[in-house]
């Protein structure tokens, strides 16, 4: 949960900083050092959220049998699921490879319900 909040915070700050990139140096809300810190923090969090094929998802949970790298909320040792919302938000960081994006998109498309049902 903490990592998810940190990713969202970092994404928000990076978005604001990116929007201000057209301004002159020193006019933005973040200086270069702070922005670099947030980029590095985001990269570490995204990396710790990757579940590689065959890797155990979390204690008491199974393994990633999808054949693809998954990015899940909360990092490796927490929430044992892959959510489309988290996938979509992770893309904006710039730290998810095109191949990871493609595989997660294909996984999402292949697991969509083909009919309406009550859960």
């Amino acid at each position: 949960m903490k990592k998810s909040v940190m990713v969202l915070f970092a994404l928000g700050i990076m978005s604001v900083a990116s929007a201000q990139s057209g301004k002159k140096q020193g006019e933005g809300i973040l200086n270069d050092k702070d922005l670099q810190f947030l980029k590095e923090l985001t990269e570490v969090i995204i990396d710790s959220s990757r579940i590689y094929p065959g890797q155990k998802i979390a204690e008491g949970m199974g393994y990633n049998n999808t054949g693809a790298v998954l990015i899940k909320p909360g990092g490796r040792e927490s929430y044992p699921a892959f959510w489309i919302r988290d996938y979509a938000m992770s893309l904006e960081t710039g730290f998810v490879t095109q191949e990871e994006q493609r595989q997660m998109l294909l996984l999402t498309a292949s697991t969509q319900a083909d009919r309406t049902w009550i859960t």
Side-chain angles (χ1 to χ4, degrees):
M1 181 70 171
K2 268 187 186 176
K3 288 181 183 176
S4 295
V5 171
M6 289 300 293
V7 168
L8 291 174
F9 175 74
L11 282 172
I13 296 298
M14 287 175 64
S15 294
V16 169
S18 177
Q20 295 200 12
S21 62
K23 294 185 176 186
K24 293 180 186 176
Q25 179 65 23
E27 289 184 10
I29 62 169
L30 293 176
N31 63 38
D32 290 341
K33 184 178 175 183
D34 290 341
L35 183 57
Q36 184 60 35
F37 169 77
L38 289 173
K39 285 180 179 180
E40 289 171 8
L41 177 64
T42 302
E43 185 173 22
V44 167
I45 292 169
I46 290 291
D47 186 53
S48 73
S49 297
R50 282 185 172 95
I51 307 298
Y52 295 93
Q55 182 178 358
K56 189 170 186 168
I57 294 173
E59 191 59 40
M61 299 295 157
Y63 295 84
N64 175 359
N65 295 321
T66 66
V69 173
L70 300 177
I71 296 175
K72 68 183 192 91
R76 291 186 184 117
E77 297 302 322
S78 61
Y79 198 78
F82 168 74
W83 288 87
I84 189 66
R85 176 198 64 200
D86 298 295
Y87 156 66
M89 287 189 299
S90 69
L91 297 180
E92 202 166 325
T93 67
F95 297 114
V96 179
T97 69
Q98 283 188 339
E99 182 60 19
E100 289 171 333
Q101 292 177 36
R102 186 181 75 74
Q103 290 190 4
M104 285 187 284
L105 183 59
L106 290 173
L107 174 66
T108 300
S110 71
T111 57
Q112 295 300 299
D114 60 355
R115 64 186 191 288
T116 303
W117 54 287
I118 298 172
T119 58

